[in-house]
Amino acid sequence: MASSVRLAIVKLIRDDIDADPEGFWGDIEFPDNEHVYHRSAPQDVDFPMVIVARQAGAPMYSFGTGPSCFFENDLWTIKGVDRGLSSEKAEFIDERLFTILQDQELDLSGMDPPRETMWFRREEAVDYGEREEGAVIHHVGAMYRLFTEAA
Amino acid sequence: MPQVLDPDKLLGGADKPGMQPRFPAGAGMLAGTFTSETALRQTGYGYVAIRYQSRFPGIIGSLTLREAIVEKETAEEILEDAKQRAPVWEGEPYFDDYGHHPGILRDSLYLDQVEGGWTVATDVHYAPFVEFGTVNMDAQPFLIPAAEEHRESFIAKMALSLQRL
């Protein structure tokens, strides 16, 4: 199930990057056509990038049995990552991610059985840095809560 | 039959020890307000002292106490859960001069009382890297899943606790 959700999230982000309706991503200058990675980036990939990972998740059961008897309750960490002295670019990415993800309906029709988005909403900021060879890698993003129900 | 009292002795007598309203220990202090009132009512038997005593301070005191108990219990459960989930080096055990050893992240978790509740904390500097990952290392979430696991039970316990007021 998580893979369908991840693909839906990544599709939202990639679609926005490709269309770039507000000319936002052009300023970011992604180094390749991938941009968005799951859990971590491959070795030797240039910055900046977007990393998507499932942070936590547990079903909330209701009455009955089968796929309609629970709500999927997931937390996804979605963050912009950049290397350098300033976290500005990572923060820009985070702001744009908020704009394109907040309260969006994810396309989960491919799930078996299909599910529908109840809500997808930013919940908690994630902001930290790691040091690498004298430079700082900035991670700026947020955890988004996804609630789904059976379609 | 209501107790018949002499109004002359009663007037201004609310300060006497026997007239003090009884509150659960600490409730008045916790609530910050003290609501009671003594009134005289004339009946066919003479004046009767009627003491109105609000249960509100007691309820507030009990509420605060119950909240605190549920919060602490849940925080302890989350701490234990997080310790179970915290990744531990499974290779050859090592101990270096800096005090590093297998399980240092797990052993570093502790409960910290903060305003409004408790927090499960650690002073290990790389804890965010484990929880959220680095560029080239997958996250191994241990704290947020533990907190999420107890979210529903916390709400249920709190609701049950308040129902018993």
Side-chain angles (χ1 to χ4, degrees), chain A residues 1-15 34-41 50-56 72 74-79 97 100-101 105-111 115 117 120 144 146 148, chain B residues 138:
Chain A
M1 285 191 205
S3 65
S4 300
V5 173
R6 173 173 52 81
L7 292 174
I9 294 171
V10 171
K11 184 175 186 306
L12 271 179
I13 300 169
R14 284 226 170 104
D15 285 353
E34 291 295 326
H35 323 306
V36 188
Y37 299 101
H38 181 215
R39 294 194 182 126
S40 60
V50 176
I51 292 182
V52 176
R54 187 173 185 244
Q55 196 70 32
E72 198 69 51
D74 284 356
L75 269 179
W76 285 81
T77 297
I78 305 167
K79 59 190 180 182
L97 290 173
I100 61 178
L101 296 176
E105 187 165 346
L106 301 181
D107 179 12
L108 305 176
S109 57
M111 293 177 79
R115 300 187 71 81
T117 304
F120 185 53
Y144 290 78
L146 172 68
T148 68
Chain B
D138 289 1

Side-chain angles (χ1 to χ4, degrees), chain A residues 40-41 55 79 128 130 145, chain B residues 131-133 135 138 148 151:
Chain A
S40 60
Q55 196 70 32
K79 59 190 180 182
Y128 62 100
E130 56 171 309
R145 187 173 294 280
Chain B
E131 182 70 37
F132 294 109
V135 173
D138 289 1
E148 286 289 304
R151 176 188 286 265

